[in-house]
Amino acid sequence: MNQDILININPQETRVALVLQGAVQELHIERTLSRGLAGNIYLGKVVRVLPGMQSAFIDIGLERAAFLHVADIWEARSHDGQSNALTPIEKLLHDGQSLMVQVIKDPIGTKGARLATQVSIAGRMLVYLPQDKHIGISQRIANEAEREQLRSKLQSLLPPEENGGFIVRTMAEDASDSDLQMDVDYLRKTWAAIVGNTKSKPAPNLLHQDLNLAQRVLRDFVGEDTATILIDSRENFEMLKEFAAVYTPSLLPKLTHYKGERPLFELHGVEAEIARALGRRVDLKSGGYLIVDQTEAMATIDVNTGSFVNGRNFDDTIFKTNLEAAHAIARQLRLRNLGGIIILDFIDMENREHKTAVLAELNKALQRDRTKISVSGFSPLGLVEMTRKRTRESLAHILCETCPSCNGKGQVKTSRTVCYEILREVMREAKQFNPKEFRILASQDVVDLFLEEESQHLAMLGDFIQKPISLQVQTAFLQEQYDIILM
């Protein structure tokens, strides 16, 4: 199935949409002021070693110190296969020490970046591991004969004195010797520049920055099934052509400059898809729907039949809805970039064969996802538990912020609830102080309620405390906000 890649670029941000048969499958957004850090290599300085947690905080020049666990320290592991024990972190690091590190996970929420000391530099067909010595093959290449053939081909291209290791990516399956050699030369040259920077730059300092989003698209996203790559910026189209000419010449025929007057994302329905991806409800073609909720701890997806009643019987209706939902869930995970623990609540099914079929359909739909995923079967409660590796912020976290009205609760107190809180607060203040008058400052809805339905209660309170109570609308106040002024 052919896929199109749409790249919308302006000075403040780059947006990329992967479209398959007219449906948006993935959205990637990179803002100029907050480029992702994953893949960047830094010369950091150890700020604090925590033996009790077997971890350390590293200053890499960001607002928050980054986090390094002993399991992510290359030197802590045994590489001879004799032992799985890790060397204690206090024997490897000390405060003030300079250390080359790579970001493996961007800062998310209040957490700093996650680091590792094993460096990996990604090319189009290979990943270079300067500290390693073996040649690995992507797990997505399942055929053992093909794996051995690729390993032998790469080994024949490497000089005898080569110390680093490589991982062969799926892109290399049909690569020529010259393509592989170009990738090897590029990666070794990049590593030499990084090593040179460590000798000339003080810690903390950036040694190597990963490619920008548009360049990573050409490196990571484009495959044989990619039909066209549309770019709506003339300047960036020319820059990507130059990059492709050096790095991925085979992609040049697929690069196209979009010259239409109508915005590229609007023409292909991407803007509308973004708006839908920020909502809780996802409608299915059959009439069923999903409810997607994202919390700090996990994401949950609930499946409902809605108005779908086309099955032969109720069990058949449930089964068909769940099958359709499996594909929709896989797409929503990629589209929204949901990560971490994910709980799927399919409609309850009594038939074991139906459960097996739905699970198989879900796993099949998830195969197109490049992110590492682990799916368990149905739990005793009928839930499917899964994890999806989280390496960057979700779409909602990039585009949205906490609602100032509800502070993330998703609901606000009613005007009547706020009225009763104010009445209790006035009573409490009257017992402690003796002002001439109480003035209530509140939102328009709360004041309106005091003037109408709750006017009797307000008058009764005034008579009880024997003080006048006046009202004043504060247009800047949200519904839950109020103030009581003692005059």
Side-chain angles (χ1 to χ4, degrees):
M1 292 186 289
N2 287 342
Q3 120 180 319
D4 296 316
I5 297 178
L6 314 178
I7 304 179
N8 164 236
I9 302 178
N10 51 49
Q12 60 270 19
E13 69 179 359
T14 298
R15 301 188 300 171
V16 175
L18 276 62
V19 181
L20 183 66
Q21 293 183 319
V24 181
Q25 302 295 316
E26 290 185 34
L27 283 166
H28 297 264
I29 298 175
E30 181 177 83
R31 289 180 170 165
T32 307
L33 295 176
S34 56
R35 271 188 66 177
L37 304 177
N40 287 359
I41 300 171
Y42 293 86
L43 185 62
K45 180 179 287 187
V46 179
V47 176
R48 189 181 178 193
V49 178
L50 304 171
M53 295 176 59
Q54 282 298 292
S55 58
F57 288 106
I58 314 294
D59 179 12
I60 58 175
L62 303 179
E63 183 180 347
R64 291 193 299 271
F67 180 81
L68 175 65
H69 189 265
V70 68
D72 296 317
I73 299 178
W74 171 254
E75 296 77 10
R77 301 196 297 267
S78 170
H79 302 288
D80 56 10
Q82 299 298 315
S83 172
N84 292 324
L86 296 171
T87 304
I89 196 168
E90 60 269 24
K91 293 185 178 181
L92 300 168
L93 303 180
H94 58 82
D95 292 358
Q97 177 182 347
S98 294
L99 188 69
M100 184 191 293
V101 290
Q102 184 169 34
V103 177
I104 57 176
K105 186 179 292 187
D106 281 335
I108 297 177
T110 59
K111 299 175 183 177
R114 182 79 180 261
L115 304 176
T117 64
Q118 182 181 14
V119 172
S120 64
I121 308 170
R124 176 164 173 77
M125 300 170 193
L126 304 170
V127 177
Y128 186 38
L129 306 171
Q131 298 130 308
D132 211 333
K133 293 183 179 179
H134 83 287
I135 295 176
I137 310 294
S138 168
Q139 293 180 353
R140 289 179 178 267
I141 302 175
N143 187 289
E144 194 57 42
E146 188 178 356
R147 293 170 66 88
E148 284 303 317
Q149 183 182 2
L150 285 169
R151 186 178 282 108
S152 300
K153 180 192 286 191
L154 179 58
Q155 189 70 63
S156 67
L157 297 175
L158 299 177
E161 69 275 9
E162 176 63 63
N163 293 322
F166 290 88
I167 296 175
V168 180
R169 307 179 74 180
T170 53
M171 291 284 192
E173 284 185 279
D174 301 315
S176 64
D177 288 0
S178 61
D179 288 338
L180 286 174
Q181 188 64 60
M182 285 177 62
D183 230 24
V184 169
D185 294 342
Y186 167 81
L187 292 169
R188 294 179 70 192
K189 182 178 178 181
T190 302
W191 173 241
I194 293 169
V195 173
N197 284 336
T198 61
K199 299 174 182 178
S200 60
K201 294 185 175 182
N205 225 311
L206 175 65
L207 301 177
H208 169 75
Q209 188 171 34
D210 198 16
L211 303 177
N212 63 41
L213 177 57
Q215 293 168 329
R216 293 200 306 275
V217 167
L218 302 191
R219 184 188 72 186
D220 300 335
F221 298 169
V222 182
E224 292 183 357
D225 56 350
T226 302
T228 58
I229 306 167
L230 290 173
I231 305 137
D232 63 1
S233 163
R234 163 62 70 179
E235 180 183 355
N236 285 279
F237 169 69
E238 297 296 340
M239 289 171 60
L240 287 177
K241 274 180 62 178
E242 292 177 11
F243 176 79
V246 175
Y247 198 59
T248 52
S250 61
L251 300 184
L252 282 170
K254 297 183 179 183
L255 291 173
T256 304
H257 177 223
Y258 173 72
K259 303 176 183 177
E261 293 184 4
R262 193 174 174 189
L264 179 63
F265 270 31
E266 184 181 316
L267 178 66
H268 290 267
V270 181
E271 298 289 7
E273 197 63 62
I274 292 174
R276 285 193 289 269
L278 297 176
R280 292 181 67 225
R281 176 167 171 147
V282 179
D283 291 316
L284 306 177
K285 291 182 179 178
S286 64
Y289 61 92
L290 311 178
I291 296 294
V292 183
D293 285 311
Q294 186 178 355
T295 68
E296 188 73 21
M298 67 181 71
T300 61
I301 302 179
D302 182 37
V303 184
N304 298 280
T305 55
S307 59
F308 179 47
V309 291
N310 291 336
R312 292 188 301 270
N313 53 53
F314 187 58
D315 287 345
D316 189 42
T317 297
I318 290 173
F319 178 51
K320 289 185 176 180
T321 303
N322 282 338
L323 285 177
E324 185 184 3
H327 285 275
I329 287 169
R331 176 170 172 260
Q332 289 299 319
L333 294 180
R334 295 172 66 192
L335 192 62
R336 298 168 185 250
N337 192 33
L338 298 178
I341 299 171
I342 300 165
I343 304 296
L344 311 179
D345 186 8
F346 287 99
I347 306 167
D348 290 340
M349 294 174 288
E350 300 294 334
N351 191 315
R352 282 184 177 272
E353 293 181 358
H354 286 180
K355 287 186 176 182
T356 302
V358 168
L359 202 60
E361 200 69 19
L362 176 65
N363 282 307
K364 180 181 176 182
L366 291 170
Q367 287 178 356
R368 298 187 66 87
D369 200 326
R370 284 183 291 270
T371 305
K372 184 178 179 181
I373 289 176
S374 174
V375 182
S376 67
F378 282 90
S379 73
L381 295 177
L383 304 173
V384 174
E385 300 169 3
M386 63 175 289
T387 60
R388 185 173 185 269
K389 188 174 181 181
R390 179 160 44 193
T391 57
R392 56 192 174 92
E393 295 274 22
S394 68
L395 183 69
H397 282 160
I398 292 173
L399 299 180
C400 304
E401 63 182 5
T402 302
C403 169
S405 296
C406 70
N407 291 317
K409 298 194 301 290
Q411 54 192 10
V412 295
K413 295 175 183 176
T414 65
S415 299
R416 196 176 305 277
T417 300
V418 177
C419 282
Y420 294 169
E421 281 188 9
I422 292 172
L423 294 177
R424 288 194 297 272
E425 181 65 18
V426 170
M427 175 68 78
R428 189 181 69 81
E429 297 280 356
K431 291 179 180 179
Q432 294 183 2
F433 306 102
N434 186 31
K436 293 181 180 180
E437 178 188 345
F438 288 91
R439 178 168 295 174
I440 297 171
L441 310 182
S443 66
Q444 183 70 62
D445 288 345
V446 172
V447 171
D448 287 346
L449 201 59
F450 270 133
L451 292 173
E452 297 169 1
E453 298 177 39
E454 297 299 331
S455 59
Q456 184 177 357
H457 289 147
L458 186 65
M460 288 171 60
L461 177 62
D463 292 341
F464 182 79
I465 64 175
Q466 297 182 343
K467 303 288 183 182
I469 302 174
S470 61
L471 301 169
Q472 181 176 325
V473 174
Q474 287 292 102
T475 55
F477 276 14
L478 301 172
Q479 186 158 295
E480 292 188 0
Q481 291 179 306
Y482 63 85
D483 200 0
I484 299 172
I485 308 296
L486 279 58
M487 307 292 288

